[in-house]
Amino acid sequence: MKSGYISNKLKHSFTRSKVSTTLFTALLCASSQSYAINPATNVTSTGQDLNIEISTPADGSNVDIAMPLSVTGRVSIGALPGGDASSVVYVIDVSGSTDDGGNDCNNDGTINDGDNFTPADATTGSVLDCEVGGVMALNDSLGSNANVNVAVVVFGSRAAVAQPFITPPNTDSNGNGIADIDELLMQLDQGGGVVSVGSTTDFSDALTAMTGAFQTRPANEQRVAYFLTDGLSGGSVATQANQARDAGIRVETFSVGTSAAPCTGSALETIASTTGGSCTDVQDIDTLAAVIGNVGGVPPTGIERVDINLNGGASTQVSVDNLGNWAHTFAVGTLADGANVIEATVMAGDGTTATADITVNAMVPTNDPTTPTTPTTPTTPTTPTTPTTPTTPTTPATPDNGRHPICTAAAVDPDGDGWGWENNASCIVGSGGTGGGGTSGGMMPMGPIFCASSASDHDGDGWGWENGMSCLVQGSAFDNARMTMPHCTAAAIDSDGDGWGWENDATCVVPGSPAAQIID
């Protein structure tokens, strides 16, 4: 348990220096548990709250021991904002007196065009040039932080919002390489330039416009204003300063130039002290940019530094920006396996400190197995079609009286040998068929072609079918009969013209017919 925890709980009764060893011992013995103190608070000698918070990582989180560990946080004098975001308003005096020139605004040792930050006016190195150069430096230091919103209020006899809030500060909406805020500032002139506000000086109206601008942002954001002027303002600013304080705004004021009223006893000091800020005299106007821009990172007013350590080891001072944001990265190899305690300590200008701490668990991450690719569902194979069982050919009937029928079409005789296949039986292409041709049906004059196998004679008539044509089965009854087949004595007994006739109760062949060419 850290002393910051005790001072946080008892801050209205004790400062850190008043907490005794006895009280520490008693409280430590009261519990065996360890409690993180985040954020931590202590009270400065001036009665202000000194705050520090570790924003990331979260207490109790698991971190990768093999990776660098980035730690970020915030510090403040006064209330610590509830949100991580910040709103910043640049309040700039553009009254007539800011036209005074001859200043080395960029502090390079010479007065030249490089000091003319506001080309809209006719003066090089004017007070306004230096004010704008300083605000540019400040805005550049906030850079690309998306948690920071910036706006511009200009004032003279009255005040007006010249640039509503935008984020991040270096936003370049037209892509021309110049931040939008810088483009707006370069257009300023005495009396306003982009807006008309007059040439005298009125702090109270400037504060009213500033507070009104902040009301457009969430109430839990950190609210900071930078108020720059080279002049004096008539009348009281107490009411407006209290309104700014009640709205949670911290105002940092800057008295610019030798002709400006010094901070001590001035309205600028009232504004700053009322709102928790500070007033800074910048007599040497050439250094304004470095002062307001906090080149290199300078903590907010009242904060000396922030230190960080790991597991009680040596402390390292970390950089803190204008808004109190800080960051540090622990290199690979510095974390211990298991629990690691990170402590961050803020020190105020009067020596008061507050320490926040968190514990993170460093481990080697368990690599999630690669999610397997879902296999593609295989396509169900198409069930093959059961082949049709061939029909057993019907044994052709033997033609009446042993005679072959005449084919009805010549197409059934593809090889032109005079024999075809029709109605599951051999037929003769002759004069009786549609193929026509009588004895010119294509019968082979050299005699029959013999079958290589008797199996090609399905109907047992002595004729088979092989190699796309008819053949005669050697040794068949027809083959034997053809050797002794008698000739018909008259063609008239061949009624169907197939070359075969019937005479004396027996088959005969008509001489000269296609049938006779096979028989003879």
Side-chain angles (χ1 to χ4, degrees), residues 291-309:
V291 173
I292 189 175
N294 287 334
V295 177
V298 177
T301 302
I303 293 177
E304 182 69 22
R305 69 173 190 269
V306 172
D307 295 329
I308 191 169
N309 73 76

Side-chain angles (χ1 to χ4, degrees), residues 324-495:
N325 301 305
W326 57 267
H328 180 71
T329 299
F330 290 106
V332 174
T334 56
L335 294 175
D337 188 10
N340 290 262
V341 177
I342 299 170
E343 292 182 323
T345 300
V346 59
M347 177 181 289
D350 65 353
T352 303
T353 62
T355 300
D357 70 86
I358 62 170
T359 299
V360 296
N361 303 307
M363 59 185 66
V364 176
T366 301
N367 293 325
D368 294 332
T370 302
T371 303
T373 303
T374 303
T376 304
T377 303
T379 304
T380 304
T382 304
T383 304
T385 305
T386 304
T388 304
T389 304
T391 305
T392 303
T394 305
T395 302
T398 302
D400 292 343
N401 301 319
R403 299 173 62 191
H404 288 280
I406 302 299
C407 301
T408 61
V412 298
D413 177 22
D415 59 354
D417 66 351
W419 292 91
W421 183 263
E422 198 173 69
N423 300 320
N424 292 322
S426 296
C427 61
I428 296 173
V429 179
S431 60
T434 58
T439 59
S440 61
M443 297 297 290
M444 300 174 64
M446 73 294 293
I449 297 174
F450 291 105
C451 300
S453 171
S454 61
S456 62
D457 178 17
H458 300 293
D459 59 358
D461 65 351
W463 294 92
W465 185 263
E466 286 182 358
N467 300 317
M469 63 179 66
S470 297
C471 58
L472 179 62
V473 178
Q474 280 187 300
S476 65
F478 190 90
D479 183 35
N480 293 330
R482 74 188 181 91
M483 304 305 295
T484 58
M485 186 69 63
H487 286 187
C488 300
T489 59
I493 62 174
D494 179 17
S495 61

Side-chain angles (χ1 to χ4, degrees), residues 105-122:
C105 295
N106 62 5
N107 201 26
D108 66 354
T110 183
I111 301 172
N112 52 32
D113 288 343
D115 301 306
N116 190 13
F117 288 94
T118 56
D121 68 13

Side-chain angles (χ1 to χ4, degrees), residues 224-244:
V224 182
Y226 293 86
F227 194 108
L228 292 81
T229 181
D230 73 333
L232 296 172
S233 174
S236 173
V237 294
T239 298
Q240 291 77 17
N242 288 335
Q243 290 172 342

